[in-house]
Amino acid sequence: MNAGPRRRRIVHVVYSFAVGGLENVIVQLINRLPADRFEHVVLSLTTISDFRSRIQPPDVRFIELRKPPGHAVPLYPRIYRLLRELRPEVVHTCNLAALEVAPLAWLARVPLRIHAEHGWDAHDPQGRNPRYQRLRKLYRPFVSHYVAVSRDLDDYLGEKVGVLPARRSLIANGVDTDVFSPGPLVAVPGCPFVPGRHWLVGTVGRLQTVKNQPLLARAFVRLLREHPQAAQRARLVVVGEGPLRQPVEAILAEAGMQDLAWLPGSRDDVAAVLRMLDCFVLPSQAEGTSCTLQEAMASGLPAVATDVGGTPDLVEEGVTGHLVASDDVAALADGIWRCLEHPERSQAMGRVARERARSRFGMDAMVRPYERLFSGGLL
């Protein structure tokens, strides 16, 4: 009996597999690529969290190497043997931390080696580190094709790494606009605030340096000090977990405003959290294409975001939200105040944001180009 052609095996290589934007892209690709044509392996250089439960196909293989801090050289023989054993048609590496696997994939005779740049590392938030640029140039011959998720990253690959246009593609991250959509104002379990009665401003993301949530905490404190009447309604929501949780809590506690904020940690109901917000804030030092910003736009929220990376491609000043300078507490506080002070204008910006998300950031617009690349075609 003919079992049909072998499915193309893709090994997705990441530094870690936990809650995050690029990891969510991998989840969506695995869940949405045709199951009769592709099979998947998730290879984490460090660990794999219960985030794996979001992957739907039952036959996905997960491998964690538990790499200690430092270079992955001691793991090279094991990685090479794994690739020879798995015999994938495609190795898909994500960000600089996983790029060193590309030469091993070439050595293991993997036919197609695709590398995706999703954003900057916390140690190099603007992509200016000459050492990292040299590393990317060193690995360039071993990569078949590059993907950038934002225009600034695509420019960087061309100008700083020397990747020719024919060897790179710009594919923005996608968002499920059915899951992330406007809805009734209902508090999620555990939230101490009442949507509608309170005006909720918030953010979602890992609490790590490049995401810069302490900037939002300081801006919230400044907002209430400059406009004390706002304290009757304004409340802060910070969803996520990570090393910046303690600094955020300390800023709020020092100002005596810890009761005006809710930090629930990581949540599985992000869509419901976004639906109860009035304004979304992205205070990052650097971004590629922010998945949570796209999700907030699809949820019909105006955004106040730092003018970094690919964010200006998503947020249009005064149309879908407000852009402010990075690490500028006063500007961020003012942007939030403008949304609070002018609710009708803010709601109108949210409606435009929703329409733009539906027309520009649909999931098919992301999955189909990846499907062509993983199939061996070019865009």
Side-chain angles (χ1 to χ4, degrees):
M1 182 176 178
N2 188 356
R6 178 180 183 267
R7 294 183 296 167
R8 291 179 69 82
R9 181 172 294 155
I10 306 171
V11 176
H12 306 273
V13 185
V14 294
Y15 178 75
S16 67
F17 195 69
V19 176
L22 81 84
E23 294 86 355
N24 186 59
V25 168
I26 292 175
V27 168
Q28 296 299 337
L29 290 174
I30 292 175
N31 288 346
R32 292 171 183 270
L33 287 169
D36 61 338
R37 293 184 53 215
F38 299 97
E39 61 177 298
H40 305 271
V41 178
V42 176
L43 174 61
S44 169
L45 298 178
T46 55
T47 57
I48 293 175
S49 77
D50 58 6
F51 190 69
R52 62 184 285 178
S53 65
R54 303 191 184 192
I55 289 178
Q56 296 167 4
D59 59 347
V60 176
R61 181 175 174 184
F62 297 89
I63 303 171
E64 55 182 9
L65 301 182
R66 297 189 173 274
K67 182 183 79 70
H71 211 277
V73 170
L75 291 174
Y76 281 6
R78 183 181 175 191
I79 296 172
Y80 172 79
R81 288 194 300 270
L82 271 171
L83 293 176
R84 291 295 290 166
E85 169 200 325
L86 293 167
R87 296 174 54 238
E89 281 75 22
V90 183
V91 162
H92 171 217
T93 54
C94 299
N95 280 357
L96 181 60
L99 183 55
E100 60 184 310
V101 173
L104 297 172
W106 173 83
L107 190 63
R109 300 180 183 177
V110 177
L112 189 57
R113 303 164 303 278
I114 294 175
H115 178 70
E117 290 286 351
H118 286 261
W120 305 116
D121 186 85
H123 302 295
D124 185 26
Q126 304 301 325
R128 296 172 181 166
N129 188 311
R131 177 173 176 268
Y132 292 164
Q133 292 179 14
R134 288 194 299 269
L135 278 174
R136 286 184 167 95
K137 289 179 180 178
L138 178 66
Y139 293 133
R140 186 183 61 202
F142 304 101
V143 176
S144 308
H145 199 82
Y146 288 82
V147 172
V149 303
S150 62
R151 185 172 51 192
D152 72 309
L153 288 169
D154 185 63
D155 291 342
Y156 171 85
L157 288 173
E159 297 168 6
K160 302 298 184 182
V161 187
V163 181
L164 296 175
R167 291 184 57 207
R168 66 182 201 264
S169 300
L170 173 57
I171 307 176
N173 296 336
V175 60
D176 189 328
T177 56
D178 293 327
V179 172
F180 292 92
S181 60
L185 294 177
V186 179
V188 300
C191 180
F193 309 133
V194 181
R197 181 192 305 170
H198 296 118
W199 189 86
L200 303 181
V201 56
T203 193
V204 177
R206 282 185 285 198
L207 302 185
Q208 59 184 29
T209 303
V210 75
K211 300 300 182 182
N212 204 14
Q213 290 90 349
L215 175 67
L216 173 55
R218 289 193 292 270
F220 182 74
V221 170
R222 184 183 181 108
L223 169 73
L224 298 194
R225 285 177 174 168
E226 291 185 344
H227 307 280
Q229 69 274 25
Q232 297 178 5
R233 295 188 59 226
R235 300 293 183 267
L236 177 64
V237 176
V238 180
V239 174
E241 198 55 81
L244 291 186
R245 181 186 183 94
Q246 185 174 359
V248 170
E249 291 176 335
I251 291 167
L252 296 167
E254 184 178 358
M257 298 182 186
Q258 61 268 47
D259 292 339
L260 305 183
W262 182 49
L263 283 74
S266 296
R267 302 276 301 197
D268 292 328
D269 56 351
V270 170
V273 171
L274 290 174
R275 275 193 289 271
M276 74 175 188
L277 297 183
D278 295 281
C279 176
F280 181 82
V281 176
L282 189 72
S284 305
Q285 295 175 342
E287 282 289 347
T289 298
S290 168
C291 291
T292 53
L293 175 55
Q294 291 176 306
E295 291 165 355
M297 292 176 67
S299 302
L301 294 178
V304 181
T306 48
D307 188 359
V308 297
T311 300
D313 293 334
L314 304 182
V315 178
E316 183 178 355
E317 172 59 39
V319 178
T320 60
H322 299 298
L323 289 169
V324 301
S326 177
D327 218 20
D328 188 329
V329 174
L332 187 59
D334 180 66
I336 298 171
W337 170 247
R338 281 186 283 167
C339 287
L340 173 58
E341 187 181 24
H342 303 287
E344 292 184 1
R345 187 187 307 169
S346 296
Q347 290 165 12
M349 290 193 295
R351 288 192 292 271
V352 176
R354 166 69 180 170
E355 290 308 309
R356 291 204 175 171
R358 292 181 64 187
S359 62
R360 300 182 185 181
F361 314 132
M363 198 60 72
D364 282 349
M366 178 188 77
V367 175
R368 287 178 181 173
Y370 273 104
E371 181 178 350
R372 288 189 61 187
L373 286 179
F374 291 155
S375 298
L378 297 178
L379 301 183

